[in-house]
Amino acid sequence: VAFEHEALVVLLLRAAVAAVLNDNYFNYPVGRPTIQDMVNNALLSGDRDIILAVAAQLDEWNNLGLVEE
C-alpha cells in the first residue's frame, strides 16, 4: 500500500505505537480501541492535515506526566 504522505504516516504510526504501549502501563487518556479508531480513520482519510492532527494529539498525550496504574 502506497501512501501519499509517507513521512507523516511514519510519524503517526510511531505515535500510535507509543500510545498503545503507554495505555498498557499508565493511566492513558483514551483506550486502545479509541487509539486504533483514530489512527485507522486518519489513514483512511488520506488527508495530510488529519494525519498530522491525530499524530500531534497522540504525541501530546504520550508526553503527559502519566501515572503508573
Side-chain angles (χ1 to χ4, degrees):
V1 176
F3 290 98
E4 185 177 342
H5 309 289
E6 287 184 42
L8 292 178
V9 170
V10 170
L11 182 73
L12 173 60
L13 294 178
R14 284 181 182 167
V17 169
V20 169
L21 291 172
N22 283 332
D23 181 49
N24 283 336
Y25 297 103
F26 301 102
N27 188 16
Y28 202 70
V30 296
R32 186 180 308 176
T34 301
I35 296 165
Q36 288 174 307
D37 287 345
M38 291 171 67
V39 172
N40 287 339
N41 290 335
L43 291 174
L44 289 172
S45 78
D47 185 285
R48 177 192 184 281
D49 294 332
I50 293 172
I51 293 169
L52 189 56
V54 172
Q57 179 63 72
L58 292 174
D59 186 58
E60 180 183 328
W61 287 336
N62 287 335
N63 288 295
L64 292 173
L66 299 172
V67 177
E68 199 169 332
E69 290 184 325

